[in-house]
Amino acid sequence: MLKTIQALLVVTVLVFTSCAEKKAPEQVVKKQNQPNIILFVADDHGTDALGCYGNEVIKTPNLDQLAAEGTIFKNAYCTSASCAASRSVILSGKFGHATGSYGHVHDYHHFSTFDNVKSLPVLLEQDGYETARIGKYHVAPETVYHFNTVLEADPRNTVEMADKCGDVLNSDKPFFLYFCTDDPHRGHPFEPDPWNAPNSFGNKVEGYDGVETVVYDPKDVLVPSFIPDTKESREEIAQYYQSISRIDQGFGKLMKMLQETGKADNTIVMYISDNGMAFPGAKTTVSEPGIKLPCIIKDPTNSKKVSTNNAMISWVDLTPTILDMAKVSYNEKDFHGKSFKSIVSEENPKGWNEIYASHTFHEITMYYPMRVVRSNNYKLIWNIAWRLDYPFASDLWASSTWQSIYRNNIEYYGPKKVKDYMFRPEFELYDLDKDPNELNNLAEEKSFEEVLETMKSKMKTFQQNTRDPWQIMWSHDSSMQGTGVNL
């Protein structure tokens, strides 16, 4: 009897071993079919300064080439026009108000994501991806936003950054490369001397190794409609352009290296920015120049292609989209965003006509929570702390662009009165089709009462669905607060 049982056990082991050996090749094939993914994130780059988005002055040939080979999204939005808050959303698929990522991570700001959040790089690593990051990180804690490989290079020199990525591009495993520049963020020192000198935007007179310095004449730059057309503005925009041309060269270098690996046909490349240009009226606001951003996607694994996509997408959609593209299974309920993989190759997909934004802090001294819903052509902004002065980021306050208006007591900053920039109403309602500069607030007009109530209802539902603590400000319902007692 004992010999019979032993024989059966041997046969069982052999059967399972045989099955495992037969399935192994299928598992290998599955991994080989997973695409590589590069997510290239610029710092404070708006749609105003890219050739493929209509700027005929700035030189961005490599990014323009990506657009020619891929798809430009015309209505792509971050959820918060602040670096750290935006990046937490990019890598988590959740709004910052629900993850504790209310503002900046570094120094005394110290906002940090809850430790139970499962981030994009962690989920990709669990499915067999090599995950690597280089450049600006600006999220915390590392245990939540963990990458297998951390590469070091000057984040202002994208050519140098690209050079350091060779081993990742040649990885035996499918890879996810998170490539984040410091450009075109304003450079230190933020406070110029004299006050009317332009910020450097990271540019140096001696330039950077391996990078051709591209200089712009201030008289040639295109001044966005929300910025005053002054000598100071033009000089700063010229520096901003120069920083972006440096990004473009590093991007071109990275694409050349990718091509040389032979993996370009199985690598999805995305170019985005964390928020809009670092000028008052864009960065740290929820105005269109602050949150409506470049998004270019080239997916060679998709045989269908359109040059332009008009869907409204959000950075909260990026994590589920990338997981979907990587063929990694996930629970849709784990994210606030949704995958747009299936509509990348459609020009006007149905059902993609609404986005939400949520900003609370930039620096810790800049408490000014705002919530936004954009639905079709209408946009509602709720300035929750509207009785406070609108706060300034330290670098934007010190900018010569702002100081040229402030020091001279000029009434207007661009098309908007300075007092209207500094003091906001509780609700702002705009028809973006008729009023793209967001100057005519319809919230107080009787003929738009129904639209206002509809948009408020959408906002409340959004806040409830994403467990926004600031929903308490509608009714002072304290159910979100808990007991304050550790049980």
Side-chain angles (χ1 to χ4, degrees):
M1 181 68 178
L2 181 59
K3 290 182 178 179
T4 302
I5 293 172
Q6 289 174 334
L8 286 171
L9 286 172
V10 170
V11 170
T12 302
V13 170
L14 289 172
V15 168
F16 276 108
T17 302
S18 175
C19 290
E21 288 174 351
K22 289 179 180 178
K23 288 184 177 179
E26 294 176 2
Q27 293 172 349
V28 171
V29 170
K30 175 182 178 292
K31 295 304 178 187
Q32 288 178 342
N33 285 338
Q34 287 180 291
N36 308 302
I37 298 168
I38 297 174
L39 179 59
F40 194 114
V41 185
D43 195 357
D44 302 354
H45 187 188
T47 58
D48 57 280
L50 272 166
C52 55
Y53 276 85
N55 187 321
E56 296 181 354
V57 175
I58 195 163
K59 297 177 177 64
T60 52
N62 295 298
L63 289 167
D64 296 347
Q65 182 63 32
L66 180 70
E69 296 172 355
T71 298
I72 296 175
F73 282 79
K74 293 290 191 179
N75 292 291
Y77 286 83
C78 68
T79 65
S80 176
S82 176
C83 304
S86 182
R87 289 163 191 270
S88 74
V89 175
I90 290 168
L91 293 177
S92 73
K94 291 186 175 184
F95 288 92
H97 61 238
T99 65
S101 307
Y102 304 131
H104 276 347
V105 170
H106 65 287
D107 300 332
Y108 53 81
H109 310 292
H110 202 53
F111 291 112
S112 186
T113 300
F114 299 143
D115 59 12
N116 62 346
V117 171
K118 288 291 183 70
S119 73
L120 174 63
V122 169
L123 293 169
L124 288 171
E125 179 185 348
Q126 289 175 354
D127 206 71
Y129 268 78
E130 165 63 16
T131 61
R133 66 175 174 89
I134 188 168
K136 187 164 184 171
Y137 189 41
H138 219 29
V139 287
E142 196 276 338
T143 52
V144 168
Y145 299 104
H146 175 73
F147 285 78
N148 279 342
T149 301
V150 179
L151 303 170
E152 300 292 340
D154 182 348
R156 290 286 188 180
N157 186 340
T158 49
V159 171
E160 179 185 316
M161 290 172 70
D163 279 334
K164 295 295 180 71
C165 294
D167 288 346
V168 174
L169 299 181
N170 284 290
S171 172
D172 292 334
K173 298 192 292 184
F175 65 80
F176 171 61
L177 175 60
Y178 184 57
F179 192 108
C180 301
T181 71
D182 272 5
D183 292 324
H185 193 288
R186 286 176 175 267
H188 289 282
F190 291 148
E191 196 164 333
D193 184 19
W195 71 265
N196 60 349
N199 185 270
S200 69
F201 287 81
N203 305 317
K204 298 189 298 186
V205 174
E206 67 274 22
Y208 290 86
D209 289 344
V211 181
E212 177 191 353
T213 300
V214 181
V215 177
Y216 293 87
D217 190 325
K219 71 177 176 56
D220 294 331
V221 303
L222 304 180
V223 181
S225 59
F226 69 93
I227 293 178
D229 191 346
T230 63
K231 172 180 178 290
E232 290 79 12
S233 295
R234 285 183 168 275
E235 288 176 347
E236 292 213 298
I237 292 171
Q239 294 292 322
Y240 167 66
Y241 280 15
Q242 182 176 329
S243 186
I244 291 166
S245 284
R246 188 164 56 252
I247 292 175
D248 185 78
Q249 291 181 55
F251 180 81
K253 172 72 172 180
L254 186 67
M255 292 300 99
K256 183 175 184 292
M257 291 171 62
L258 176 65
Q259 196 70 41
E260 290 169 352
T261 66
K263 296 182 179 182
D265 290 341
N266 192 40
T267 302
I268 297 167
V269 181
M270 300 182 175
Y271 181 87
I272 65 170
S273 171
D274 57 359
N275 50 249
M277 66 190 301
F279 285 74
K283 183 178 180 178
T284 75
T285 78
V286 290
S287 300
E288 293 292 284
I291 62 175
K292 189 175 182 180
L293 301 175
C295 179
I296 310 169
I297 298 178
K298 178 185 176 183
D299 181 1
T301 70
N302 187 345
S303 58
K304 296 181 180 178
K305 178 183 174 295
V306 292
S307 58
T308 301
N309 188 306
N310 294 310
M312 290 186 199
I313 62 169
S314 166
W315 288 180
V316 79
D317 299 322
L318 284 170
T319 282
T321 299
I322 291 171
L323 290 174
D324 199 5
M325 289 174 165
K327 303 176 184 177
V328 175
S329 60
Y330 63 93
N331 187 339
E332 293 179 2
K333 294 180 180 178
D334 289 342
F335 305 108
H336 295 148
K338 60 182 180 179
S339 171
F340 56 81
K341 174 182 180 290
S342 64
I343 59 97
V344 170
S345 57
E346 296 181 40
E347 186 173 3
N348 295 297
K350 294 181 179 179
W352 291 84
N353 59 343
E354 202 162 277
I355 59 95
Y356 296 85
S358 171
H359 177 94
T360 306
F361 284 93
H362 178 63
E363 297 159 10
I364 198 170
T365 51
M366 292 178 63
Y367 176 75
Y368 202 86
M370 299 172 283
R371 301 295 183 263
V372 176
V373 53
R374 180 181 174 187
S375 183
N376 294 314
N377 56 308
Y378 287 111
K379 177 179 178 180
L380 176 66
I381 301 171
W382 181 26
N383 297 306
I384 300 173
W386 61 282
R387 292 176 182 85
L388 298 177
D389 295 6
Y390 195 80
F392 269 84
S394 53
D395 57 334
L396 302 189
W397 174 263
S399 69
S400 60
T401 294
W402 174 256
Q403 289 295 318
S404 66
I405 302 300
Y406 176 72
R407 287 170 178 259
N408 294 301
N409 294 313
I410 296 174
E411 184 179 9
Y412 282 85
Y413 176 82
K416 183 172 286 192
K417 288 185 176 181
V418 170
K419 71 177 182 64
D420 292 334
Y421 186 84
M422 298 287 290
F423 305 101
R424 311 286 175 99
E426 183 176 12
F427 294 103
E428 300 175 61
L429 177 66
Y430 301 109
D431 182 342
L432 295 179
D433 282 351
K434 298 177 181 177
D435 181 24
N437 287 321
E438 300 167 277
L439 299 174
N440 183 25
N441 185 8
L442 305 173
E444 300 298 326
E445 295 192 17
K446 192 170 183 61
S447 59
F448 286 90
E449 282 181 353
E450 187 175 343
V451 174
L452 178 62
E453 290 307 310
T454 298
M455 297 292 278
K456 284 183 180 180
S457 179
K458 287 179 179 292
M459 186 174 288
K460 290 175 184 178
T461 300
F462 155 68
Q463 291 185 277
Q464 290 165 2
N465 290 342
T466 59
R467 293 188 59 77
D468 182 357
W470 277 264
Q471 67 180 281
I472 192 176
M473 301 307 294
W474 290 106
S475 62
H476 294 280
D477 173 8
S478 63
S479 59
M480 279 285 291
Q481 288 190 212
T483 62
V485 178
N486 290 326
L487 300 178

